[in-house]
Amino acid sequence: MMATSSEQPSASQDATPRSRKRIMSMARQVTQVNGLHLSDGQQPFEQNSLDERREFEKLRDLAHDLPEYHACGDFWALACLRARKYDLARTLELMKSFDAWRTRLQLLERNYHTDAELQALIKLGVVEPTGQRDVVGHYVLVLRMAKADPKRFTPDDAIRNIYAALEYLYRRYPEAQSAGVAVLVDQRGASLKNMDTAVPRILFKALANHVPCRFGGLYTVDPPLFMRMLLPVAKLLLKRKLRDRLHVLRNVEDLLKYFQASNLLEDFGGTMASEHDVYLECVSSLQAREPYASADKDDSADNCSLASENDSMVSCAASEPDPIASMPEDDDNAGEPTAAATVSLV
């Protein structure tokens, strides 16, 4: 999915699919998204609350002897619990599936420091995690399709890239674990050669079955001509709940219907600055420590910090804190979550 070309194609260079049969075939491929867990703005418990602490303790009691629990660690175990709305049986299933998925894709072994191609892909900025939130409250991953080149990077490379971005998003903005994640596909300057229909198919399958994520929606901006033919057909093949979350926008100005300007990057017409450089520093630091495989690493990012929900700073390089330790205690004085509780989950 992912690389840059020395020259950006113009819209006139698009190899537009001419036959209805081909358009229908492509539409079926990109709409194989059964089983996505949709965000609905409703969670049984507030993050970092006493009730959430109790549910997490129940999960620990059930899972303490399971290898997948130890492989995931408390950070991802809690993300799984939130993604499955505190249903313990479904959380255990997701943890097992998530661990097997990470193992199969070698997400810990092939990381920023051991895989030069993945490092190049992350630096390229095809996937950009940001603090952007749509008006519903979903956090946003940006995909910049004009930088993509499936001839260089495989679909599995693309998924490893997205995994790194999602981990950063969850650690810097923990509320995204409950609020849900939307995808903003920037197709300005993109052409058919930037597209790989295997990537969305693999990605949505992962989101449905393996990754702790509640899907918020998809915004696609300024699609090329062939995509303008494809997307209306694709929408017809989706179930209504998913169809309502697919927004096809002719230009960036239309994003202001779904985002406040203060929650939109500057190159989309908003006022938010890019945090790509911060992301690069932090993913380097995160993947330079356990459980990621070791290699010759650049220590320059060891002081990288991630902002927590209450604007405290938590070092990426520090050992992962105990999510339970800083949650409210189960006593008569327990009430609102403390600032320390929020920090511990980053």
Side-chain angles (χ1 to χ4, degrees):
M1 174 179 175
M2 314 272 182
T4 186
S5 303
S6 58
E7 297 181 2
Q8 295 295 343
S10 65
S12 63
Q13 292 174 303
D14 289 341
T16 304
R18 299 179 183 277
S19 70
R20 171 179 283 184
K21 183 177 180 180
R22 186 177 180 192
I23 292 174
M24 288 298 296
S25 176
M26 293 176 66
R28 291 191 184 97
Q29 289 183 61
V30 300
T31 55
Q32 295 178 12
V33 294
N34 294 330
L36 279 176
H37 297 266
L38 304 180
S39 63
D40 57 11
Q42 300 178 0
Q43 285 288 90
F45 310 115
E46 185 178 352
Q47 282 194 193
N48 307 309
S49 66
L50 176 59
D51 287 330
E52 183 176 78
R53 175 193 174 97
R54 290 168 177 159
E55 294 305 307
F56 193 27
E57 287 175 332
K58 291 177 185 177
L59 176 63
R60 276 181 157 178
D61 289 342
L62 286 172
H64 72 278
D65 288 332
L66 299 177
E68 56 266 26
Y69 169 68
H70 295 283
C72 289
D74 283 336
F75 175 81
W76 285 111
L78 184 56
C80 288
L81 185 66
R82 289 167 172 168
R84 291 299 182 265
K85 292 191 171 184
Y86 307 93
D87 183 311
L88 296 179
R90 294 171 67 222
T91 298
L92 291 172
E93 291 176 0
L94 179 57
M95 287 169 52
K96 184 175 182 179
S97 179
F98 177 65
D99 178 41
W101 176 75
R102 285 203 309 184
T103 300
R104 178 170 53 80
L105 283 175
Q106 298 181 296
L107 292 175
L108 301 181
E109 293 79 12
R110 297 184 60 176
N111 60 61
Y112 188 87
H113 298 285
T114 64
D115 189 328
E117 282 292 273
L118 177 61
Q119 183 178 130
L121 182 53
I122 291 173
K123 288 181 176 180
L124 186 59
V126 181
V127 181
E128 185 176 359
T130 73
Q132 293 179 119
R133 302 183 71 176
D134 63 17
V135 292
V136 180
H138 305 126
Y139 284 82
V140 175
L141 288 179
V142 176
L143 305 185
R144 301 190 183 275
M145 296 309 301
K147 297 182 178 182
D149 183 0
K151 290 184 178 180
R152 178 179 177 185
F153 298 106
T154 69
D156 283 352
D157 291 331
I159 299 304
R160 293 184 188 102
N161 189 20
I162 292 170
Y163 170 80
L166 187 65
E167 180 178 23
Y168 168 85
L169 189 71
Y170 278 2
R171 289 185 182 274
R172 179 152 191 173
Y173 305 103
E175 191 178 343
Q177 298 170 30
S178 298
V181 177
V183 179
L184 197 169
V185 185
D186 180 7
Q187 300 202 59
R188 291 173 294 180
S191 71
L192 188 60
K193 70 178 183 179
N194 300 114
M195 309 297 174
D196 185 345
T197 57
V199 172
R201 188 169 69 249
I202 294 171
L203 173 61
F204 285 123
K205 183 178 179 180
L207 294 178
N209 301 307
H210 309 303
V211 179
C213 181
R214 303 198 71 83
F215 181 69
L218 187 146
Y219 303 91
T220 182
V221 179
D222 195 13
L225 180 58
F226 74 91
M227 289 296 291
R228 293 176 197 168
M229 299 170 63
L230 173 65
L231 288 170
V233 178
K235 288 188 73 170
L236 293 175
L237 300 176
L238 295 172
K239 295 181 179 179
R240 182 183 60 80
K241 287 185 177 181
L242 271 177
R243 188 163 61 243
D244 292 344
R245 293 170 186 250
L246 173 57
H247 308 286
V248 182
L249 311 178
R250 294 295 296 270
N251 52 62
V252 294
E253 289 78 12
D254 288 341
L255 282 168
L256 291 173
K257 300 175 184 177
Y258 304 96
F259 292 81
Q260 297 290 335
S262 59
N263 265 316
L264 200 59
L265 291 177
E266 292 173 345
D267 67 322
F268 291 129
T271 60
M272 283 187 68
S274 170
E275 58 188 75
H276 184 63
D277 290 342
V278 175
Y279 168 54
L280 294 182
E281 292 178 0
C282 286
V283 74
S284 174
S285 185
L286 281 168
Q287 297 194 5
R289 56 188 173 99
E290 296 293 340
Y292 289 94
S294 61
D296 292 333
K297 297 165 185 173
D298 179 3
D299 294 332
S300 62
D302 280 352
N303 292 323
C304 167
S305 295
L306 291 180
S308 72
E309 291 171 356
N310 67 348
D311 294 327
S312 296
M313 303 304 289
V314 180
S315 172
C316 290
S319 60
E320 184 172 299
D322 182 345
I324 285 290
S326 299
M327 284 183 176
E329 294 293 340
D330 191 358
D331 58 32
D332 293 338
N333 295 321
E336 293 300 316
T338 64
T342 301
V343 171
S344 74
L345 301 178
V346 177

